[in-house]
Amino acid sequence: MGESTADLYAGRKTFFIAPDPSLLPESYMEDYLNHGYESYIICDDRYCPLYKKVEIIISLFSDCILFFYVDAVIEGLDWPKYILHLQHDYGNRVRIGVLYSKRRSESERERLERYYLFDVGVQCGCVALEYHHSKNFALLDKVMHANQAAGRRKTVRAICDDTSDVTFFYKKIEYKGKLEDVSLNHFSCVLFDADPGELPTYAKVKDILLVVNGMHFHSNGVLMMQRETEAGLLYIFVFMKADGTQGLESDSAHRLSQKIYQMVTTRTKDLLHTVFTQARQSYESDKKSEQKPEQNNT
């Protein structure tokens, strides 16, 4: 079935704008995806202005949360005024939160939070990051949960490409099929030459071989349901461990987690890279036009 362009823009996404990497490492984004939060870090650079990146994100993704790290020093950007203008211009069309380094002065913390929460009216909170990033993972996890950063997702599923397939035996019959999508809890596939009713609901299948965009691994599974689709009869399995509990063995879960993160975020990252590059080129062209001296007509 493949992933459509609409799928790329759909789903709630969280963007951390110019965070300190010592407080919020990018490696956390993969772990947050396992919790249902599709999140990205947007860095400042000297080519494409940060405010332009934010405008592009808002224009592309109608359902997004923006967390601004207001202790970042950005040339030409005054955070209090900038966030006030964003909140005024976009209102409820964009959800904004504020991150800052933990303050030693209680009065300074109260003043900062009073401004962003009450004067500006940001919806997603004003969060003091701890000095050690190990504490910030759980802190921001709670913040994103409180702000429903997962949207309607229960689990994050990745759409598989044409190289993905599934092979298993059930009652000595071999089944092969096209893997459609996968999460850390389930997979769905269309089986070749399988007659409806051959595989009963809740059938337990051992040693299933899955190829997920080139990555191979084995798992047990239980058939939970079948559903008619345009591609054919879709079989939906949940993963089962050797001890009978739901899920993947730890090694397979770790490898699949990395693969799903890559599959889910690569297209969005590529899109952002493309549009940011275009914006940078336009910005540089405009600067050159401004600097070009006017010719005298004689």
Side-chain angles (χ1 to χ4, degrees):
M1 287 185 284
E3 185 177 22
S4 67
T5 302
D7 293 327
L8 178 62
Y9 298 102
R12 183 163 294 167
K13 296 173 173 58
T14 299
F15 297 90
F16 295 101
I17 311 299
D20 183 338
S22 69
L23 302 180
L24 180 59
E26 188 157 8
S27 59
Y28 283 179
M29 302 304 107
E30 179 182 328
D31 294 322
Y32 285 143
L33 191 69
N34 294 337
H35 294 191
Y37 312 131
E38 185 182 346
S39 53
Y40 302 86
I41 286 180
I42 304 299
C43 298
D44 181 42
D45 61 55
R46 62 190 182 90
Y47 299 108
C48 183
L50 192 65
Y51 75 86
K52 189 63 179 176
K53 291 182 177 181
V54 172
E55 288 178 4
I56 290 169
I57 289 169
I58 294 173
S59 69
L60 289 176
F61 305 107
S62 60
D63 189 4
C64 66
I65 300 174
L66 303 174
F67 282 103
F68 294 93
Y69 179 64
V70 296
D71 286 337
V73 179
I74 309 297
E75 183 178 355
L77 196 63
D78 182 298
W79 286 117
K81 292 180 180 178
Y82 173 64
I83 294 176
L84 177 64
H85 289 153
L86 273 182
Q87 187 68 58
H88 178 267
D89 292 343
Y90 291 100
N92 293 329
R93 286 182 292 164
V94 62
R95 305 177 72 197
I96 295 174
V98 167
L99 308 178
Y100 65 95
S101 298
K102 190 175 182 179
R103 297 295 195 258
R104 299 186 185 279
S105 166
E106 185 68 15
S107 61
E108 184 182 0
R109 181 193 67 79
E110 290 179 353
R111 185 168 60 252
L112 186 150
E113 294 192 352
R114 187 185 308 113
Y115 174 75
Y116 286 111
L117 292 175
F118 297 102
D119 296 344
V120 177
V122 299
Q123 298 179 22
C124 296
C126 194
V127 184
L129 297 180
E130 297 287 346
Y131 302 125
H132 300 289
H133 68 74
S134 59
K135 297 180 180 180
N136 291 327
F137 180 86
L139 175 63
L140 289 174
D141 186 71
K142 291 179 181 178
V143 170
M144 287 196 283
H145 176 75
N147 286 289
Q148 301 179 322
R152 297 178 181 177
R153 293 187 185 98
K154 293 183 179 178
T155 58
V156 174
R157 68 186 184 102
I159 308 300
C160 301
D161 64 19
D162 292 336
T163 67
S164 304
D165 55 49
V166 58
T167 304
F168 61 87
F169 284 86
Y170 181 72
K171 292 188 175 180
K172 299 182 179 180
I173 299 175
E174 183 180 36
Y175 293 88
K176 292 179 177 289
K178 166 73 171 61
L179 193 62
E180 295 292 341
D181 63 65
V182 64
S183 75
L184 291 178
N185 298 322
H186 89 284
F187 70 88
S188 66
C189 60
V190 175
L191 298 176
F192 308 138
D193 303 322
D195 294 327
E198 276 187 348
L199 283 170
T201 304
Y202 306 122
K204 296 179 180 180
V205 182
K206 293 185 177 181
D207 197 29
I208 303 169
L209 171 62
L210 297 106
V211 181
V212 180
N213 286 28
M215 189 197 84
H216 298 65
F217 70 99
H218 292 258
S219 177
N220 299 334
V222 175
L223 177 63
M224 298 304 294
M225 64 179 295
Q226 303 171 37
R227 187 174 72 239
E228 288 288 350
T229 69
E230 293 179 0
L233 188 60
L234 192 70
Y235 294 80
I236 302 171
F237 290 80
V238 296
F239 291 119
M240 300 296 291
K241 298 178 183 179
D243 64 6
T245 59
Q246 186 174 331
L248 286 164
E249 304 295 345
S250 57
D251 178 63
S252 296
H254 177 68
R255 293 173 58 227
L256 183 58
S257 171
Q258 292 178 320
K259 176 59 72 172
I260 289 175
Y261 178 72
Q262 179 190 39
M263 292 165 66
V264 170
T265 62
T266 294
R267 289 187 69 201
T268 298
K269 288 180 177 180
D270 288 347
L271 170 67
L272 291 174
H273 176 74
T274 298
V275 293
F276 290 167
T277 299
Q278 293 171 348
R280 180 185 71 192
Q281 292 169 345
S282 176
Y283 177 71
E284 290 176 343
S285 177
D286 291 343
K287 284 183 67 177
K288 288 179 181 178
S289 298
E290 292 173 1
Q291 294 170 357
K292 185 177 180 180
E294 295 183 4
Q295 295 182 351
N296 293 324
N297 294 322
T298 58

